Amino acid sequence: MLTPIADRRYLIPFRSQLLPAIFADTLVIGSGVAGLRAALAAAEFGEVIVIAKDELERTNTAWAQGGIAAVLAADDSPEQHVADTIAAGAGLCAPDTVRTLVDEGPREVEHLVSIGARFDRDSAGALALTREGGHSRRRIVHTDGDATGRELSRALLAACRAHPRIRLFDRCFALDFLAAGTAARGTDRVLGAITHHPKYGLQIIWARASVLASGGIGQLWRETTNSRIATGDGIAMAWRAGAAVADLEFVQFHPTALYVAGAGRSLISEAVRGEGAHLVDRAGRRFMEGRHPLAELAPRDVVSRGIVEHLAETQDPNVFLDARHLGGGGFSERFPGLYGLLKGYGIDPRTAPIPVMPAAHYTIGGVWTDLDGRTNVPGLFAAGEAACNGLHGANRLASNSLLEGLVFGRRAGVAAATSDGATRGDVRVISDIRLSDKGELDLVDVRSSLRSAMWRNVGIVRAGNRLADALDMIHFWCRYSLDKIFDDLGGWEIQNMLSCAALVTAAARAREESRGTHSRTDFPAPRAAEAHHRIYRVGAEPVLCAERGSPPAAPEPAVSR
Ligand SMILES: Cc1cc2nc3c(=O)[nH]c(=O)nc-3n(C[C@H](O)[C@H](O)[C@H](O)COP(=O)(O)OP(=O)(O)OC[C@H]3O[C@@H](n4cnc5c(N)ncnc54)[C@H](O)[C@@H]3O)c2cc1C
């Protein structure tokens, strides 16, 4: 079924012995919360290199607004945070993963404070906690109201920069994980990665262990709140190296992204609705009333579907978030960052409703790991949005993902840095790729057509026939794009996006039910027979798994093509 993305082991031809080599104990791919937390933990044991394909600060982490969930209030308890997370996850959360997140969360917030992260405080000097959708208690710590991610990123980067055993490389694009042999997949240890830097060209970073923390796949959809870095490179390269991936059909769509022609889809935080803003249509009607008892405060997937259905009825391009009744200073004081952003687009939320649309927001699935970020491939660990350890089940509870990056980033960093193996450099890795005899497709066209097709057919509301159409289209583009050799980031990103799109669409087609963020018109209810994770590996049939246990065994050495 996934033949078009099963052929290539490496994106480019190379001979490892002919390329400049850099050595580390642990290589971390990604400078978001998961990567930086992993780096700080790994640096306790040895030398660490962190790479990011763009500026170090350009991450989804830095864009996070609402905050970090953790049990810190006297009237809160780990049991309640666990129960809220599991309720959101629609029957697919891994209970031990949830428990680990909740138990280790408060310690991670303390660690952030100890490295200088600044959070909002109440008049008594205690951490100010707010509440978000799905949380039964106030447990979200935040900075400057809506700039939590920026502060988190600043504090973690400062700690990494100050650490004598951490080196940070920006604009260093990871193409593929290296393993011995010419086409080894999942059978051999990952020995590091081949990277490209605009100034230094191709290089190999050899490491005893690698931590993948490359974030999600939001850029696969035409409408997304995600940073431009979120093209799924890491998930695609882990797949090529034989890693198992799971739950990629579950993508959280945020109901309220700013909808202004020509502008990025900036997130309008859920907290704005939490403070009392209403969702209305062009005629000023609150269309979520009657669709759910909580109206616009219903879970994200319900509100996103409500908007899509209402837009289909009205044929309008967008809906509005009306915050005018919140009062003069209310909006600008509670949401100073958003207020400034909106003003930049000529929108004053005190006097005008804000145009909004749903947008792809969070990747629930990813590289399948155990509680220490271990994958089925020796030497390869994963954490954060690139990983899937069953934490979110079929739907993510708001503000659990920064905490996930902290808790499981630290665990992956420790496990990687203390794992067996050695930093090599003496291993010959050869990638030979035949030149394609097929015609060329225009890459810019493929990218925008793919994103539109994903939005239309693999978006908020799905149906079997449309998923099948989308998969046909994706496979067609794959056949003409994955057989090519590119020499720049634009081409490699498209190849990775197409691979991830094929995986997401195949998984969405296979899941014949509606559960959490995955909604199918032809299977409108959850089905007991589908209450499992579906795990994919190159060259193998998908494996069903009811619970996240130990990572699945490596695939057989002979990879079927
Ligand atoms: C607008 C917005 C608001 C959000 N608000 C919240 C919130 O309030 N609370 C919450 O808990 N969550 C929130 N989230 C989700 C949360 O921010 C993310 O899930 C989390 O930050 C992901 O962290 P990460 O470290 O896994 O990845 P990221 O922060 O996305 O970092 C990915 C890193 O990988 C690097 N990378 C990618 N590909 C390559 C490659 N090929 N080579 C080298 N480097 C590569 C990137 O350069 C980047 O450094 C929000 C998300 C968005 C988009």
Side-chain angles (χ1 to χ4, degrees):
M1 184 168 61
L2 287 164
T3 320
I5 62 164
D7 271 354
R8 271 290 178 85
R9 169 61 185 91
Y10 294 106
L11 288 183
I12 56 165
F14 64 91
R15 295 229 173 332
S16 63
Q17 299 309 91
L18 303 180
L19 293 175
I22 305 173
F23 299 91
D25 293 308
T26 306
L27 167 65
V28 176
I29 299 175
S31 60
V33 58
L36 297 178
R37 188 64 189 95
L40 287 173
E44 297 293 307
F45 304 91
E47 300 291 327
V48 179
I49 289 178
V50 178
I51 65 170
K53 74 176 180 182
D54 208 306
E55 296 145 17
L56 296 169
E57 295 81 1
R58 188 173 293 279
T59 58
N60 275 359
T61 297
W63 285 11
Q65 296 180 356
I68 309 170
V71 176
L72 298 162
D75 69 343
D76 199 0
S77 70
E79 289 67 34
Q80 271 161 331
H81 192 181
V82 166
D84 292 344
T85 303
I86 287 179
L92 272 194
C93 290
D96 56 344
T97 312
V98 178
R99 188 75 215 192
T100 304
L101 175 96
V102 168
D103 285 348
E104 297 182 10
R107 201 172 70 202
E108 285 302 318
V109 174
E110 277 167 33
H111 172 257
L112 286 175
V113 172
S114 77
I115 62 168
R118 193 179 46 77
F119 294 114
D120 295 336
R121 298 198 172 251
D122 62 21
S123 52
L127 288 172
L129 301 174
T130 190
R131 192 170 158 186
E132 283 188 347
H135 289 274
S136 59
R137 289 289 184 276
R138 297 180 83 85
R139 62 169 75 103
I140 319 295
V141 291
H142 47 87
T143 304
D144 295 338
D146 56 9
T148 316
R150 200 174 56 208
E151 173 60 8
L152 181 60
S153 175
R154 184 205 63 75
L156 286 169
L157 269 174
C160 285
R161 284 187 173 117
H163 202 296
R165 283 204 288 263
I166 299 179
R167 281 180 287 169
L168 295 145
F169 298 168
D170 64 350
R171 299 176 199 285
C172 181
F173 186 92
L175 283 109
D176 269 304
F177 289 114
L178 294 181
T182 49
R185 286 170 193 272
T187 51
D188 261 335
R189 211 184 161 75
V190 160
L191 302 168
I194 178 162
T195 65
H196 181 267
H197 189 282
K199 190 158 159 205
Y200 307 110
L202 291 174
Q203 293 179 320
I204 291 190
I205 303 178
W206 298 95
R208 191 175 60 195
S210 301
V211 179
L212 180 69
S214 53
I217 55 173
Q219 285 295 332
L220 259 55
W221 285 267
R222 195 188 69 204
E223 311 293 339
T224 181
T225 62
N226 283 199
S227 154
R228 68 178 181 224
I229 54 99
T231 51
D233 304 327
I235 294 173
M237 63 193 265
W239 161 265
R240 287 193 292 274
V245 301
D247 291 354
L248 282 168
E249 64 274 36
F250 296 115
V251 176
Q252 189 173 72
F253 289 83
H254 199 288
T256 52
L258 180 65
Y259 190 73
V260 173
R265 297 287 175 255
S266 304
L267 182 76
I268 308 293
S269 167
E270 195 159 285
V272 177
R273 275 171 290 137
E275 294 290 334
H278 297 149
L279 269 175
V280 297
D281 62 13
R282 204 151 47 109
R285 192 162 74 80
R286 283 182 67 191
F287 57 90
M288 280 309 296
E289 283 183 326
R291 284 181 194 265
H292 191 280
L294 293 173
E296 38 273 282
L297 286 177
R300 284 180 186 173
D301 55 310
V302 176
V303 181
S304 292
R305 276 197 297 278
I307 295 174
V308 166
E309 284 162 12
H310 191 68
L311 291 179
E313 284 162 24
T314 59
Q315 295 294 306
D316 286 340
N318 62 282
V319 293
F320 296 88
L321 197 53
D322 191 349
R324 285 177 291 185
H325 55 287
L326 298 189
F331 196 99
S332 51
E333 274 167 29
R334 174 69 180 85
F335 307 108
L338 272 181
Y339 183 70
L341 174 94
L342 292 171
K343 268 189 74 179
Y345 290 112
I347 301 166
D348 184 344
R350 297 170 307 178
T351 57
I354 308 161
V356 292
M357 263 280 272
H361 183 57
Y362 183 81
T363 310
I364 290 171
V367 179
W368 188 239
T369 73
D370 71 4
L371 289 177
D372 290 321
R374 205 169 279 111
T375 71
N376 58 306
V377 181
L380 177 58
F381 297 76
E385 210 170 322
C388 176
N389 56 18
L391 169 67
H392 307 295
N395 203 353
R396 174 186 73 117
L397 184 64
S399 287
N400 263 359
S401 42
L402 291 178
L403 190 66
E404 170 191 19
L406 293 166
V407 167
F408 295 105
R410 185 194 71 79
R411 284 178 153 258
V414 171
T418 56
S419 61
D420 297 338
T423 304
R424 302 291 296 268
D426 55 335
V427 179
R428 284 162 59 87
V429 183
I430 298 169
S431 162
D432 279 325
I433 299 174
R434 255 183 302 125
L435 284 179
S436 165
D437 52 9
K438 292 206 199 81
E440 307 263 332
L441 292 181
D442 183 301
L443 283 190
V444 177
D445 278 357
V446 174
R447 193 177 181 122
S448 85
S449 304
L450 172 70
R451 299 181 75 214
S452 293
M454 292 298 285
W455 180 249
R456 277 195 314 273
N457 293 1
V458 199
I460 296 164
V461 178
R462 302 162 175 182
N465 55 352
R466 304 192 64 149
L467 291 168
D469 287 350
L471 200 54
D472 280 352
M473 277 186 268
I474 293 163
H475 281 174
F476 173 80
W477 292 320
C478 283
R479 278 195 291 277
Y480 283 84
S481 306
L482 297 191
D483 64 333
K484 302 292 184 299
I485 299 168
F486 295 109
D487 57 8
D488 69 352
L489 184 140
W492 301 325
E493 279 186 350
I494 289 280
Q495 290 179 313
N496 290 329
M497 288 168 76
L498 284 169
S499 300
C500 289
L503 288 165
V504 170
T505 309
R509 192 176 169 206
R511 183 169 289 280
E512 296 190 327
E513 64 165 350
S514 291
R515 180 187 297 274
T517 61
H518 175 68
S519 173
R520 293 228 355 203
T521 52
D522 44 351
F523 295 97
R527 293 169 61 215
E530 289 280 6
H532 46 62
H533 309 272
R534 205 175 257 105
I535 301 168
Y536 292 80
R537 280 173 300 149
V538 70
E541 285 302 310
V543 177
L544 304 184
C545 171
E547 288 197 9
R548 188 204 50 71
S550 52
E556 295 302 311
V559 174
S560 67
R561 302 269 160 156

